[in-house]
């Protein structure tokens, strides 16, 4: 029986991580990237939906836990939001992934937007892809010499991918001193590869007024 893809890929990734030297601050270790490039190099990368493959990334956050369904275990803060963005950025496996920036970009824009008496939100909403856990056993992909290969049956490409969604939003701070302030979501702090599917963004500030629609770039008095 062939091993399940999930176990095999994670075994490879664990080996990579165990052999890495410590990551220098604000640097991405090229040994991990080189290893992932080797494992995934035979794939027809243009077939990866949205150009984002989570299996290809070093995961700084469990983005699967932030699928837009609110639970007790997926509270978001600024650090976690940046880790999710970094994970998504590292999952870009070909050019169709669009305009993703380095891990410090979100933080630098956030700092520039800070204003007295104002809380500046940032958020992300991405469609990304992942390899199905049963892709090997289902005959959708082939593993050979620690590399992944697309599989065809009678000339028909077998799709090993499933599409997922990550959504998260956070203020840049944990607490604010004062009873009156403004909240704003600037357009350059809203990161997404599916903007056309978002008609409105609304927030319940727990002030008795219920959900209020946020217009990007316009402050709301709270």
């Amino acid at each position: 029986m062939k091993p399940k893809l999930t176990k095999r890929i994670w075994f490879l990734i664990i080996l990579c991580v165990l052999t890495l030297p410590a990551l220098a601050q604000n640097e991405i270790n090229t040994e991990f990237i080189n290893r992932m490039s080797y494992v995934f190099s035979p794939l027809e990368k243009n077939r990866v939906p949205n150009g984002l493959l989570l299996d290809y990334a070093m995961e700084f956050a469990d983005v699967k836990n932030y699928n837009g369904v609110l639970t007790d275990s997926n509270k978001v803060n600024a650090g976690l939001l940046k880790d999710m963005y970094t994970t998504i950025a590292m999952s870009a496996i070909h050019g169709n992934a669009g305009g993703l920036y380095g891990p410090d970009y979100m933080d630098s824009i956030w700092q520039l937007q800070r204003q007295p008496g104002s809380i500046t939100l940032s958020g992300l909403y991405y469609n990304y892809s992942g390899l199905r856990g049963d892709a090997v056993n289902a005959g959708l992909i082939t593993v050979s010499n620690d590399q992944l290969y697309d599989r065809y049956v009678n000339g028909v490409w077998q799709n090993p991918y499933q599409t997922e969604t990550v959504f998260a939003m956070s203020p840049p701070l944990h607490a604010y001193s004062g009873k009156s302030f403004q909240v704003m979501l600037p357009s350059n702090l809203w990161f997404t590869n599916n903007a056309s599917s978002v008609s409105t963004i609304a927030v319940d500030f727990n002030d008795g007024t219920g959900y209020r629609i946020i217009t990007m770039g316009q402050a709301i008095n709270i």
Side-chain angles (χ1 to χ4, degrees):
M1 179 180 293
K2 296 181 178 178
K4 287 187 177 181
L5 178 65
T6 302
K7 292 183 178 179
R8 177 133 191 185
I9 294 303
W10 276 110
F11 177 72
L12 296 176
I13 292 175
I14 289 170
L15 284 179
C16 294
V17 173
L18 289 177
T19 58
L20 291 179
L23 291 176
Q25 186 175 6
N26 298 326
E27 292 183 0
I28 297 174
N29 189 287
T30 57
E31 188 172 349
F32 178 85
I33 294 175
N34 291 340
R35 178 61 180 174
M36 291 298 97
S37 295
Y38 171 79
V39 172
F40 292 92
S41 62
L43 287 181
E44 299 173 22
K45 299 176 183 61
N46 62 306
R47 293 187 179 276
V48 178
N50 306 295
L52 301 173
L53 184 60
L54 186 63
D55 307 79
Y56 184 70
M58 179 180 286
E59 296 185 45
F60 294 90
D62 182 12
V63 299
K64 291 183 178 179
N65 192 37
Y66 300 86
N67 60 3
V69 179
L70 188 64
T71 70
D72 291 337
S73 65
N74 61 9
K75 182 178 178 180
V76 181
N77 57 42
L80 182 55
L81 184 70
K82 287 182 282 188
D83 286 346
M84 279 190 270
Y85 180 80
T86 299
T87 300
I88 291 296
M90 289 193 69
S91 73
I93 198 167
H94 65 72
N96 291 347
L100 288 159
Y101 303 92
D104 295 329
Y105 179 79
M106 178 186 290
D107 196 44
S108 65
I109 297 298
W110 226 340
Q111 292 295 328
L112 290 174
Q113 295 284 355
R114 294 186 67 175
Q115 298 289 337
S118 179
I119 296 176
T120 305
L121 300 176
S122 181
L124 58 82
Y125 171 55
Y126 282 94
N127 290 334
Y128 66 92
S129 299
L131 287 165
R132 285 176 43 174
D134 65 345
V136 171
N137 288 340
L140 305 176
I141 204 166
T142 300
V143 179
S144 177
N145 295 323
D146 294 340
Q147 290 184 298
L148 304 180
Y149 293 83
D150 290 274
R151 189 162 186 268
Y152 288 79
V153 176
N154 297 323
V156 178
W157 176 72
Q158 305 299 293
N159 183 6
Y161 305 111
Q162 58 188 16
T163 299
E164 308 283 354
T165 298
V166 56
F167 169 72
M169 188 172 288
S170 176
L173 40 77
H174 293 283
Y176 182 87
S177 179
K179 295 182 179 180
S180 298
F181 50 89
Q182 292 185 325
V183 173
M184 180 184 295
L185 174 61
S187 59
N188 61 354
L189 280 171
W190 173 241
F191 302 94
T192 181
N193 63 353
N194 195 14
S196 62
S197 69
V198 180
S199 58
T200 57
I201 297 176
V203 181
D204 185 351
F205 295 100
N206 199 30
D207 59 356
T209 61
Y211 279 92
R212 298 167 66 179
I213 294 176
I214 291 181
T215 301
M216 289 192 189
Q218 295 184 15
I220 295 180
N221 294 314
I222 307 300

